[in-house]
Amino acid sequence: MSLWRYRDRLPVEPLVTLEEGDTPLVPAPRLSERTGCDVWLKLEGANPTGSFKDRGMTVAVSAAIREGAEAVICASTGNTAASAAAYAARAGLRGVVIVPEGKIAIGKLAQALMHGARVIALRGNFDDALRIVRQLAQKHPIELVNSVNPYRIEGQKTAAFEVCDELGGAPDALAIPVGNAGNITSWRRGFEEYGESPALYGFQAAGAAPLVLGHPVESPETVASAIRIGNPARWEEAMEAVTASRGRIAAVGDEQILSAYHLLASGEGVFCEPASAASVAGLLAHGLPAVEGDPEPESVVCVLTGHGLKDPDTALGKAPAVIGCDPDLAAVERIAFAD
Ligand code: F0G
């Protein structure tokens, strides 16, 4: 099974697919206990390249093939680059990805390079890279596969269909990290097409929170490199999604993000990347409900957008040290069973 089971709701045929979508929705008992409501985790890291981007990429690259494109291009904080590179490789297209130099997680860089994309490390940030790829796509016959591409939104809306199908309707609320704001736009569209309207809680990193501040951020900074974005392309749509659903947009600090990241890994057995943990951090920091006076949500789905293995540096930077030991039974026993 893949998201292509919704093909009658999608604008193209699957000309290139890696069987994306149909990701696990797992209950989170510890978080449920802490928040007093049913918390579910949508594990988007289970997609073929380890992030939700594959949902949009299978559709966008299929459309590019249909339109006769020979190359695809994107700006990226890492995951879009990995996904675009994989689908370009599979489709036999040239892939060009532009990433902020030194600011993307190492796993994502490895993916883009292994899939044979031309990787350009820009001495600037994501917003600079997006500006440049938009100009390039106007000048050259190359398909832009950032989430400004409408086919990306179409593919990504299928995550909402899956959740509704599985739960027999929408949860009361959805918590999701927000960077360039394509994904929250996609979930909103998916729920709307399904005839549902859960409260959408979008969370940004405090050092990269233009939607919360109400103005672009010149030099965004956060440990959650995937959402280090100062001027989201789908700004208005994200705000509209939040307002219309009686949700909220709020910021979470890096410490809160890292604490949720650890809690998910050690308490729920789910390893996601730091940006993904912003959804859970937001829930824990800001609580429920979004609009005062509204009824308490009884169920919340947190979207865990990317896999933890993407960013081993952040994981190891905070993890306890490994314990060296000689190959001696008693020595191993002592360490293994020490309090
Ligand atoms: N979580 C992860 C793991 C991401 O990679 C991204 C975006 C987001 C959340 C935010 O989604 O941009 O649709 O609001 N990553 C993009 C990239 C920007 O280039 O990989 P958004």
Side-chain angles (χ1 to χ4, degrees), residues 87-101:
Y87 285 83
R90 191 160 176 91
L93 303 178
R94 188 185 168 92
V96 180
V97 305
I98 306 189
V99 299
E101 187 180 52

Side-chain angles (χ1 to χ4, degrees), residues 42 56 81-82 131 160 243 268 313:
K42 181 69 169 159
R131 184 170 34 81
T243 312
E268 302 287 3
D313 292 337

Side-chain angles (χ1 to χ4, degrees), residues 43-320:
L43 306 189
E44 290 292 276
N47 276 298
T49 76
S51 85
F52 71 94
K53 306 286 180 179
D54 298 341
R55 292 183 185 273
M57 213 52 78
T58 180
V59 177
V61 179
S62 290
I65 296 169
R66 187 184 63 183
E67 279 139 39
E70 285 170 12
V72 297
I73 192 168
C74 67
S76 181
T77 56
N79 280 322
T80 303
S83 185
Y87 285 83
R90 191 160 176 91
L93 303 178
R94 188 185 168 92
V96 180
V97 305
I98 306 189
V99 299
E101 187 180 52
K103 295 290 187 180
I104 79 166
I106 199 77
K108 303 173 189 180
L109 191 58
Q111 288 179 287
L113 291 168
M114 280 299 289
H115 290 306
R118 177 73 47 90
V119 180
I120 299 171
L122 197 72
R123 286 178 218 103
N125 61 31
F126 171 84
D127 305 287
D128 299 320
L130 186 60
R131 184 170 34 81
I132 289 171
V133 294
R134 286 177 115 151
Q135 287 166 355
L136 284 173
Q138 301 245 307
K139 266 182 85 176
H140 300 273
I142 183 165
E143 201 63 39
L144 180 60
V145 293
N146 279 106
S147 59
V148 293
N149 180 323
Y151 293 107
R152 283 276 312 277
I153 305 299
E154 286 293 306
Q156 288 169 207
K157 76 183 180 186
T158 58
F161 296 167
E162 289 174 13
V163 165
C164 292
D165 277 349
E166 199 162 334
L167 297 180
D172 292 339
L174 184 92
I176 184 170
V178 176
N180 209 27
N183 210 25
I184 192 168
T185 303
S186 311
W187 279 84
R188 172 72 181 161
R189 183 172 310 166
F191 284 129
E192 267 188 319
E193 289 187 13
Y194 208 94
E196 296 277 3
S197 183
L200 300 184
Y201 301 177
F203 296 111
Q204 300 204 286
L211 299 180
V212 180
L213 298 170
H215 59 77
V217 174
E218 188 94 19
S219 306
E221 266 318 329
T222 169
V223 67
S225 59
I227 51 172
R228 186 173 162 271
I229 293 175
N231 192 9
R234 291 195 182 263
W235 186 307
E236 285 79 22
E237 282 146 291
M239 293 316 291
E240 156 70 18
V242 167
T243 312
S245 69
R246 298 181 68 76
R248 69 147 61 102
I249 202 94
V252 279
D254 280 2
E255 285 311 314
Q256 291 171 318
I257 290 174
L258 289 175
S259 143
Y261 170 67
H262 282 281
L263 191 121
L264 282 162
S266 62
E268 302 287 3
V270 174
F271 189 24
C272 65
E273 64 172 286
S276 307
S279 58
V280 170
L283 200 61
L284 294 175
H286 297 281
L288 312 158
V291 177
E292 227 165 291
D294 276 5
E296 287 270 312
E298 285 171 12
S299 56
V300 183
V301 169
C302 295
V303 187
L304 300 187
T305 45
H307 203 288
L309 289 171
K310 296 255 186 187
D311 188 0
D313 292 337
T314 301
L316 291 171
K318 286 266 177 179

